[in-house]
Amino acid sequence: MECNSYDKKARELSYVEFPTQYVWNKSNKVWTRRKTKTKSLGRINHVSPKFGDVYYMCILLNKVKGPTCYEDIRTVNETVYDFYKDAFYALSLLDDDREYISSIQETHHWATASFCRSLFVMLIISDSLSRPHRVFKEIYNCLSDDVVHVCKQEIGVKGLKLKSEAIYHLTLSYIEKSLLSCGLSFKQIPNMPLPDHKYIQDSCNMLIQDELNYDPSINRKKGGVFFLYGYGGTGKTFVWKTMYAAIRSKGEVVINVASSEIAVLLLFGGRTTHSRFHIPITLNENSFCSITPGNDVAALLNKVNLIIWDEAPMMHCYCFEVVDRTLIDIIFPMSNDKPFGGKTIVFGDDFRQILLVIQRGNCSDIVQASSHSSRLWRECTIGGPNDDEVEFEFIEDNHLDDPLYFQDKAFLVPTNEEVDVSTTTC
């Protein structure tokens, strides 16, 4: 390299070609040009591919002519690469690993993710991959497909949910474990990410997982229908305020509605359901809200992240179904397979309070028009003081003389007079 720095003729030769034109002067300790045409061979000591970047430097010395420093060996088209292997790749002396990537992706169609990880490890150990870190990025989904299932079995937590960061680092740890058993490590592979054991420890901590094992429907924007059940004074309004304050603090949209004007006063920015959703006064099983796709209200409903609907049982079941049909009609992209167009909606109220009024209707008519009778009820996840589901049933004659039968039940009767009679009897 020193000779190349001052001799232009030397810069025309590679490292292996250099001894054919120059000879080492031991007394002056410099390279001088040969005066005789003596045949001479240059050679480089053998280096195993397992030595990584040193191996690629030795190969480049056969290709690069006239380097004056180590940076020149790593320079290709005026670009200085950080590693000799990258320069080797830039000179098209290495394959692009596309064949191996396609092979692993094809294998994933019929094999487990664990088998794909073993295949990836085998390719690393055999030094078949030019850029293992690039291959890892391309096939990450194939390698991480079963991580949640494996972790669930290891720590014994049912319904385990892991964040994407935890899955990423667990995948790396599984591969690293296999590499270590073969005497290799990610630390020996340039640019290869290392597993962060903080995420792994948190993922294997059952106490932490128990506290994280809740449904993040709103954050994942996967939608869902929920019902918060609780009698007066149990804190439903406090839950509403906490929910919409937390979501609005992120700059996201929450719609607060209620079935009555009095209940709306408790919700900041609340509106009645008929006002917000333009629900028709006269309803049937095929009705739609008066919202045209593309108008301002439709744009708002497309943007909304959460809908809170208080005093829900006071509404006819057709009201919920008309909003459901309308949202499915105007949400883009359409989510016909999800209730309410894939939006997250939370209903709430106390079934022991006032139900909807059916003119000239009997008890059976009221129950049939209630939210519980709607086809959407089976899509609903119910939570409350005891997370008990609310069930409706008609009182049979054989229970009328049994006071204990009525102690844990609420009465749905058409008039207050019948309520007074029922409570007096019990």
Side-chain angles (χ1 to χ4, degrees):
M1 291 183 184
E2 184 179 350
C3 182
N4 289 336
S5 63
Y6 60 80
D7 192 331
K8 294 182 179 180
K9 182 68 176 178
R11 290 197 288 271
E12 297 176 0
L13 306 172
S14 67
Y15 185 84
V16 177
E17 296 171 338
F18 192 82
T20 62
Q21 304 272 339
Y22 288 79
V23 64
W24 177 248
N25 190 322
K26 295 182 179 179
S27 57
N28 297 327
K29 296 183 178 181
V30 294
W31 288 94
T32 57
R33 294 186 184 182
R34 289 185 177 274
K35 296 180 181 179
T36 60
K37 296 183 179 180
T38 305
K39 292 184 178 180
S40 178
L41 297 176
R43 68 181 181 87
I44 299 177
N45 292 333
H46 172 72
V47 177
S48 171
K50 292 185 177 180
F51 284 91
D53 227 28
V54 177
Y55 166 78
Y56 293 103
M57 181 191 71
C58 294
I59 301 297
L60 286 172
L61 289 175
N62 291 282
K63 303 294 181 180
V64 179
K65 295 185 177 182
T68 60
C69 60
Y70 287 102
E71 285 187 356
D72 288 349
I73 303 175
R74 303 195 306 268
T75 302
V76 179
N77 296 328
E78 300 182 355
T79 300
V80 181
Y81 291 90
D82 294 330
F83 299 95
Y84 296 105
K85 188 174 184 177
D86 293 336
F88 200 82
Y89 186 87
L91 287 170
S92 301
L93 300 176
L94 279 176
D95 295 331
D96 61 358
D97 296 323
R98 180 54 53 187
E99 182 179 353
Y100 297 112
I101 293 172
S102 300
S103 177
I104 294 176
Q105 289 174 339
E106 182 179 348
T107 301
H108 183 246
H109 291 306
W110 57 267
T112 63
S114 177
F115 183 86
C116 292
R117 289 194 294 270
S118 300
L119 180 58
F120 179 61
V121 170
M122 183 189 70
L123 292 173
I124 293 177
I125 294 172
S126 62
D127 201 40
S128 301
L129 302 178
S130 303
R131 293 182 168 185
H133 63 286
R134 294 285 181 88
V135 176
F136 176 77
K137 290 181 180 179
E138 291 280 347
I139 63 172
Y140 169 71
N141 291 334
C142 302
L143 304 179
S144 62
D145 193 30
D146 67 341
V147 167
V148 176
H149 175 72
V150 172
C151 193
K152 187 189 304 182
Q153 290 186 325
E154 289 178 349
I155 65 178
V157 176
K158 294 183 179 180
L160 177 67
K161 297 180 178 66
L162 295 177
K163 294 184 178 179
S164 57
E165 296 88 350
I167 296 175
Y168 178 80
H169 290 285
L170 280 169
T171 303
L172 287 173
S173 70
Y174 293 153
I175 298 173
E176 173 79 340
K177 184 177 179 180
S178 298
L179 286 174
L180 290 173
S181 65
C182 301
L184 196 61
S185 172
F186 278 148
K187 296 179 181 179
Q188 300 170 253
I189 304 175
N191 297 328
M192 196 68 191
L194 300 176
D196 189 332
H197 293 282
K198 171 183 175 296
Y199 288 98
I200 299 172
Q201 291 172 357
D202 290 348
S203 301
C204 297
N205 188 321
M206 293 182 64
L207 296 177
I208 294 176
Q209 290 305 322
D210 284 342
E211 295 302 322
L212 293 176
N213 194 19
Y214 297 101
D215 189 353
S217 297
I218 298 175
N219 292 335
R220 293 185 299 172
K221 294 181 172 57
K222 290 190 175 181
V225 184
F226 304 88
F227 193 102
L228 180 62
Y229 165 67
Y231 45 85
T234 55
K236 296 190 298 298
T237 302
F238 175 79
V239 174
W240 302 147
K241 292 181 179 180
T242 303
M243 290 177 64
Y244 65 65
I247 297 173
R248 284 172 174 170
S249 68
K250 301 177 183 179
E252 298 177 343
V253 178
V254 179
I255 288 180
N256 291 325
V257 296
S259 302
S260 66
E261 294 181 357
I262 298 299
V264 166
L265 297 177
L266 300 176
L267 302 174
F268 184 74
R271 299 271 291 273
T272 63
T273 52
H274 281 77
S275 171
R276 173 57 71 194
F277 298 125
H278 297 203
I279 300 175
I281 300 300
T282 304
L283 291 173
N284 58 50
E285 62 272 14
N286 297 315
S287 298
F288 276 83
C289 297
S290 302
I291 301 175
T292 304
N295 67 10
D296 291 344
V297 179
L300 170 65
L301 295 176
N302 267 281
K303 186 73 174 176
V304 69
N305 291 83
L306 172 66
I307 298 173
I308 296 175
W309 189 328
D310 198 10
E311 303 288 354
M314 295 179 62
M315 304 290 287
H316 197 289
C317 63
Y318 287 167
C319 291
F320 311 119
E321 295 174 4
V322 71
V323 174
D324 171 61
R325 280 190 294 272
T326 303
L327 287 175
I328 291 176
D329 184 54
I330 66 175
I331 296 299
F332 301 98
M334 295 180 66
S335 301
N336 293 325
D337 58 331
K338 296 181 180 180
F340 297 97
K343 295 296 182 181
T344 303
I345 183 165
V346 183
F347 299 103
D349 197 15
D350 178 11
F351 285 104
R352 309 180 194 192
Q353 295 179 1
I354 300 174
L355 295 180
L356 68 161
V357 176
I358 302 296
Q359 292 184 1
R360 294 180 295 277
N362 55 29
C363 182
S364 176
D365 294 331
I366 294 174
V367 172
Q368 292 301 320
S370 68
S371 56
H372 182 270
S373 300
S374 172
R375 58 177 172 77
L376 297 167
W377 184 258
R378 59 178 175 269
E379 305 286 347
C380 191
T381 301
I382 302 176
N386 298 311
D387 286 341
D388 294 327
E389 292 192 5
V390 180
E391 297 182 356
F392 292 88
E393 59 179 291
F394 294 102
I395 302 174
E396 299 179 0
D397 293 339
N398 59 336
H399 295 302
L400 294 177
D401 296 329
D402 182 9
L404 297 177
Y405 176 79
F406 298 96
Q407 287 185 356
D408 59 348
K409 292 178 171 59
F411 295 97
L412 300 179
V413 293
T415 63
N416 290 334
E417 289 78 5
E418 295 187 27
V419 173
D420 294 336
V421 173
S422 299
T423 53
T424 302
T425 303
C426 294

